Amino acid sequence: MSEIPTLINQVRNKQPLIHNITNQVVVNFTANGLYAVGAAPVMANAIEEAADMANNADALVLNIGTLTTVQVDAMIMAGKAANKKGIPVVLDPVGVGATPFRTDAAEKIINSVKLSVIRGNAGEIGHLAGLKSDMRGVDAVSQANNQEVAIEASKRLGIPVIVTGVDDVITDGQEVFVVHNGHSLLTKVTGAGCLLSSVVAAFLTTDGGLLEASTAAVSFYGVAAEVAAEHTSGPGTFQTAFLDALYQLNSDVVKDTIKLETYTVTAKEA
Amino acid sequence: MSEIPTLINQVRNKQPLIHNITNQVVVNFTANGLYAVGAAPVMANAIEEAADMANNADALVLNIGTLTTVQVDAMIMAGKAANKKGIPVVLDPVGVGATPFRTDAAEKIINSVKLSVIRGNAGEIGHLAGLKSDMRGVDAVSQANNQEVAIEASKRLGIPVIVTGVDDVITDGQEVFVVHNGHSLLTKVTGAGCLLSSVVAAFLTTDGGLLEASTAAVSFYGVAAEVAAEHTSGPGTFQTAFLDALYQLNSDVVKDTIKLETYTVTAKEA
Amino acid sequence: MSEIPTLINQVRNKQPLIHNITNQVVVNFTANGLYAVGAAPVMANAIEEAADMANNADALVLNIGTLTTVQVDAMIMAGKAANKKGIPVVLDPVGVGATPFRTDAAEKIINSVKLSVIRGNAGEIGHLAGLKSDMRGVDAVSQANNQEVAIEASKRLGIPVIVTGVDDVITDGQEVFVVHNGHSLLTKVTGAGCLLSSVVAAFLTTDGGLLEASTAAVSFYGVAAEVAAEHTSGPGTFQTAFLDALYQLNSDVVKDTIKLETYTVTAKEA
């Protein structure tokens, strides 16, 4: 746990190659964000080379933000290549539940590829796990619910999840990490969640454990947002300052700023 | 009319979901610009979900900047879903006239979907309305011509139009609104026109009338550009400052800065 | 040679239309960078209009960063239209060698389209020319090797090449131009190389010779990076300042800042 703030140094030393099959909206911001963190991005969506490129990479990110049928096939081919190579695979189920096509695609990916972790907001993760009817509605979820959704979804899916929102929850259904960092301007920059999924993938190439490395990524990201917001007069300057912060932020500042809560789910809660 | 500067407040309160089927070049900037204005963007181009996503939305934008044949079909499916739901549909005929494919696609969309308003430059709107031979050439059109093109095109197409340039004209062929705000650096940022089309869509979800809401969007956008240009040393810092200005600009500043001219086309001119 | 720093003025006066068939990651940055330099960008990838759009343009850029099979066909159609019209064609073989699909595509383009110049890093250009086995590995190439790779690759391919890295080399295998400008932050902005390829295309529409115009583009770009880096605290602010610098930089500053070395390959070296 004490190494969580320092895992960024491993990312920067290793410069892992992160293969992103992601949506058109965020592809540029994701590549720039990965460079800023110290990783190397590659964005290769085509079915003709998705598996070959995954086989070159240190981690794979599958993001369903602007899917097509052929893109789903490319994701599954890349995912299987990544599984065969033994590298981490992160799923970002953007907007799952918004259309039947998107929901079916996410389920198909989950059933075909062994995922390391799934990152989304409470509505997305809850929908994936079939919690929809248990929820008060995506927009109405409280922080308590954020943690409940994460824990219950991880148990049902059998996969660790990261639920991000005002607070961020990382859990495998037993161990729970809650990060209280971040800034509201992140919600005004398109792709802030998508980039985080890719940053998580970069941290998963370190020797931190899965939950610890995910927590390191989420807290590093949140502290960078806080630093960036200090020099900001709106979402335009924030986005620019955020890339600078991801590039410059060192582990000492993370250590001093991180607001982390951890607990284990008790039998009663389970 | 007096409510034009205040319609931005309705956009921010309502946070309308704007579905954009738009081009690859501007998709990120459009999403960030809609967030900045206070709307919520969704960019779903795939034919597999275009209609379903339009059915979730409060307004639809069809932008032909990087078309393919299947994309035209997706636009028409989304447009019909939007028409059925009764939400506004904005067409941005980017580069119409540049290639036969683009021209055919724009005509197919116009013939298949009931549009609320079409926004483009004088060359694009003139071409759409078959005014090409009447024009002195796209680059040579004067401001007088800008208004003539808008009025004549709207009459011929039977659809309200927004012609943007040094001055911006909003008209249904009878009522004419001319906005004298904006800044030349907008022409150095790719997607400045495309984002405006999406901002118009956001304003069309307010209870302003169609011409008033369009004029509110255009004038808000122009004033934001003027504010942004004050803190700018080129197109890079301008783009960043412009997103900040879209986010921060309040209706009082718009009220004080708007330069609006209105008139009704007389029988003689008609 | 003495006109190299002043060719930017010809670009700005001519405002050449540069048709880019490029990858999804960099398409927005490329368009904004071309506007900043004073050129006019058009990004039309669809096979339905690629040839027609190339026929409108003053130069064509083919960038294989996010290829599909149909995209290769569109590039060849556009390339043949450009050859027929007699406008310059620049190839950017992004990531060639990373996957068999990408390598095959690059070879197919080279065999089908008459190229003016190919721009890439030493690994890409070396791979294209079959120099792989002669190299110490992409990451290990020294500056001396950078020049060796460029000279040998140009001879084997029979096409002028631009090899960019810490120093940039422009050569047709006989005349060699080495530019010692630039800044390391360029390597932290996705698409910095891709945009340079498009800026080269813009300079090729001037009346400088091919090697001189390419050198003018590369040195202008490098000096702009140096200027931008002065006002920068990371890759976010650098990208913004770089667009400003491309827009504002004048030929006098280039003349004072350019670090250019030229030589002719002797018989012994050849």
Side-chain angles (χ1 to χ4, degrees), chain A residues 188, chain B residues 8 11-16 33-40 246-247:
Chain A
K188 297 297 177 188
Chain B
I8 180 62
V11 174
R12 287 175 177 155
N13 287 333
K14 188 187 174 86
Q15 302 185 358
L34 284 171
Y35 273 128
V37 165
L246 291 175
Y247 181 73

Side-chain angles (χ1 to χ4, degrees), chain B residues 24-26 29 65-70 95 98-102 185 187-190 232-240, chain C residues 15 22-24 27-28 31-32 35-36 38-39 41-46 48-49 52-53 56 239-241 243-244 247-248:
Chain B
Q24 296 173 4
V25 189
V26 307
F29 183 58
T66 53
L67 272 186
T68 60
T69 302
V70 69
T99 67
F101 172 65
R102 217 169 266 232
L185 274 171
T187 68
K188 296 296 176 188
V189 175
T190 197
T232 286
S233 49
T237 44
F238 174 74
Q239 182 173 343
T240 298
Chain C
Q15 301 185 359
T22 189
N23 70 74
Q24 296 172 5
V27 64
N28 178 272
N32 277 324
Y35 273 128
V42 63
M43 333 304 274
N45 283 21
E48 293 91 337
E49 63 175 1
D52 287 332
M53 200 61 93
N56 294 338
Q239 182 173 342
T240 298
L243 289 172
D244 283 4
Y247 181 72
Q248 296 174 327

Side-chain angles (χ1 to χ4, degrees), chain C residues 64 67-68 72 76 100-110:
Chain C
I64 69 167
L67 273 186
T68 59
V72 178
I76 290 173
F101 172 65
R102 218 169 266 230
T103 301
D104 293 348
E107 285 171 7
K108 198 172 168 192
I109 293 167
I110 289 175

Side-chain angles (χ1 to χ4, degrees), chain A residues 25 69 99 102 190 233 236-237, chain B residues 28 32 46 48-49 56 244 248:
Chain A
V25 189
T69 301
T99 67
R102 218 168 265 232
T190 197
S233 49
T237 43
Chain B
N28 178 273
N32 277 325
E48 293 91 337
E49 64 175 2
N56 294 338
D244 283 3
Q248 296 174 326

